[in-house]
Structures are given as C-alpha cells and as structure tokens.
Amino acid sequence: MRAAVVRAFGGPEKVEIVETEVPEPGVRQVRIKVSAAGLNPVDGAVRSGAFGGEGQQLGFGFDVAGTVDATGAESTWHVGDAVVAVAHGLVRPLGTHAEYVVVETDAAAAAPTSVDAVAAATLPLNALTAAQALDLLELESGQSLLVTGAAGAVGGYAVQLAARRGIAVTALAREGDEEFVRSVGASSFTSGAVAAGSFDAVLDAGVLGPTTLEWVRDGGAFVALIPGTAPDPARGVRTAAVESSADGSRLAELVRLVDEGALTLRVAARYPLVEVAKAHAYLEEGGVRGRIVLVP
C-alpha cells in the first residue's frame, strides 16, 4: 500500500509517499480501508520533529473514515462496516494518511449516514477534542464560556457542543468569521480585547497562551488545547490541558449529532494522497477554515 511519511524533519517538502506492507490487525483491532483522512496541525508538528523520532520513519494522520477490511480476534466490527475512527500515537511508523490503517476496536464508531466520507473524516479528532475539553471545564447550563479560535476546527465544534449544553458562548475569532460562529451557536462575538474576569471559563482553542487566563473570573476554569501548556492555577481558577483520547462510544454520540443536523462539518480542501505535500503547504499558510482532507 501507499502511505505518507516523513524520514527527515522539515517543511512540507519532507513529506514522502512510500510503498509499505499492509498492516494486519491484532487482538481487539480492526483494519480500515481508508476512504478519507483529515490533515491536522498536529501533523505539521510531527513533520517538524516537535514530538521527537529523529532518524525514524513517522506516519501522519489521526482521523479516518472508511470501510472495515479485516478484523482481529475479539473485534465487534465486521468486514464491510462503514466507520470513522481516531488512530492515536504521535511517534509511529504509519498513520491514517495511507490506503489502510489499523486501529483499536473501541476507537471506531459507525460512520454518519447523512454525509460522505470526506466530510465524515473531519469529525473524529477535532470533535472528540472539543467534547473532552468541555468535560474538563465542568460548566453548567447558564454559565459563560469564551472560546478562542472559535472559527477553527476544534473551536467550531466547541461552540456547537457548548451551546447545546445551554452554556452562554462568546466566540473570539476574526471579524470575517462572526456570521459562521453565530450560526453554530455563539450568543456573543468579539474579535478584540476582552475584559479581565469576564467569563466562568475559557477554552483556548486558538492557542493564544496563558495571558487568556486573565479573562476567567476567580474560581473559574481554563483549558488549553495542547498538552503540557496549561498555565499554573491562580485566583482559584482550575487549569488543565486536554489530552484527546480515542473513544468510540463518545464518537458515536457525535456521529448521532451529525446525522441529526446538530453538528456542522466543514471541508476546507480535498487532495489526493499523492499530493499530500501540497496539502501540508496549504496548511502551513494558516487561516484554514474547516479541515483539509486526503483521499487515497
């Protein structure tokens, strides 16, 4: 099969397409024939060496939509099942940017029936990250939340999911994004300064950094998007960083919301797998709205 990998850290030009053996599923694993796979900022970090792995072959890709092709022992899936899944592991020889991928059985969920595989591939990693970040905040209906980077992939899902919980969401994004963030549930919008102590919680999906902690009221909550980047607690504010984990049951709940029309999926661009370096270059430009998707 073909797969996208990096063997020397650097820019988009370092991404290679290689021929490699089709992986075999083990116990409680399933092999998916990839129909589409999302390209995320974390893939750029893998390519640049942010997570280590010098001298190794590293694969790309965490989101996948496709069809079960083979199952290991104790799998609950069957060949032919349409699924979405998250493949975790930052330093690994292969990811979902390939023609086949093996994931844990409980990392997969039945694919949405209301959208195609390209759209479905934008859901798993980003929506799970948003949902798990909101869990860490422990907000109740009626409380206030500021989402930075609210028009981004994770931020957009966070706005929608928080609004469904009855949380009053203020979206921080560029002026041109106001219409979108309001359409998915933001009750307020800002593109500029925020007063100190204005919100019960902040979800820093835009990775603006620890200064955004000032925007949380005393005794509130703050969640950072990148593991290890949460600021120290202050003024009684709880702080944490979300470490997204594969969760097929939770992913199934998010799929249900997609099929109910309650979650908006956004495809920014679509590239064939063989043009993955061009996709990385587009991602590097920044300001992408929605998710770039690779199609084998």
Side-chain angles (χ1 to χ4, degrees):
M1 72 170 189
R2 296 174 301 173
V5 303
V6 63
R7 292 185 283 198
F9 297 140
E13 74 283 356
K14 295 296 185 180
V15 181
E16 302 178 51
I17 296 292
V18 298
E19 293 282 343
T20 188
E21 294 295 322
V22 175
E24 294 296 332
V27 176
R28 292 184 293 279
Q29 291 185 325
V30 60
R31 186 172 70 207
I32 299 169
K33 183 177 183 181
V34 178
S35 298
L39 174 66
N40 290 277
V42 67
D43 293 303
V46 169
R47 189 196 68 235
S48 64
F51 306 110
E54 182 74 36
Q56 302 177 41
Q57 172 181 296
L58 303 181
F60 297 109
F62 300 85
D63 299 289
V64 62
T67 305
V68 173
D69 172 72
T71 62
E74 302 179 34
S75 172
T76 56
W77 297 101
H78 302 90
V79 172
D81 287 342
V83 295
V84 289
V86 172
H88 265 291
L90 294 169
V91 180
R92 66 230 161 115
L94 295 171
T96 65
H97 296 174
E99 293 178 317
Y100 295 88
V101 65
V102 168
V103 303
E104 301 301 314
T105 293
D106 58 5
T113 58
S114 58
V115 298
D116 64 14
V118 172
T122 69
L123 177 74
L125 180 64
N126 295 292
L128 276 174
T129 299
Q132 291 165 357
L134 290 173
D135 290 345
L136 290 173
L137 291 172
E138 299 180 354
L139 292 174
E140 298 179 356
S141 177
Q143 289 189 288
S144 60
L145 169 67
L146 176 72
V147 178
T148 74
V154 174
Y157 285 127
V159 170
Q160 296 176 73
L161 294 171
R164 283 185 59 82
R165 299 184 184 188
I167 296 165
V169 182
T170 295
L172 174 60
R174 297 176 183 176
E175 290 185 4
D177 293 316
E178 180 174 3
E179 181 179 354
F180 166 73
V181 295
R182 287 189 180 278
S183 73
V184 296
S187 55
S188 300
F189 173 83
T190 181
S191 61
V194 178
S198 301
F199 297 94
D200 293 314
V202 167
L203 171 52
D204 187 21
V207 196
L208 301 186
T211 58
T212 57
L213 185 66
E214 300 173 3
W215 303 340
V216 183
R217 65 164 176 81
D218 294 357
F222 176 96
V223 168
L225 191 64
I226 301 175
T229 64
D232 294 332
R235 300 179 288 106
V237 177
R238 293 184 295 105
T239 64
V242 62
E243 297 191 26
S244 179
S245 59
D247 183 340
S249 296
R250 193 64 177 281
L251 183 55
E253 295 175 10
L254 296 167
V255 167
R256 177 178 57 80
L257 293 179
V258 171
D259 284 337
E260 290 176 355
L263 274 185
T264 299
L265 307 181
R266 293 178 292 159
V267 177
R270 164 183 177 154
Y271 289 84
L273 180 63
V274 293
E275 294 183 4
V276 61
K278 291 182 180 179
H280 274 253
Y282 179 41
L283 183 66
E284 288 283 287
E285 293 175 8
V288 175
R289 294 295 180 258
R291 186 52 67 222
I292 299 168
V293 179
L294 299 169
V295 181

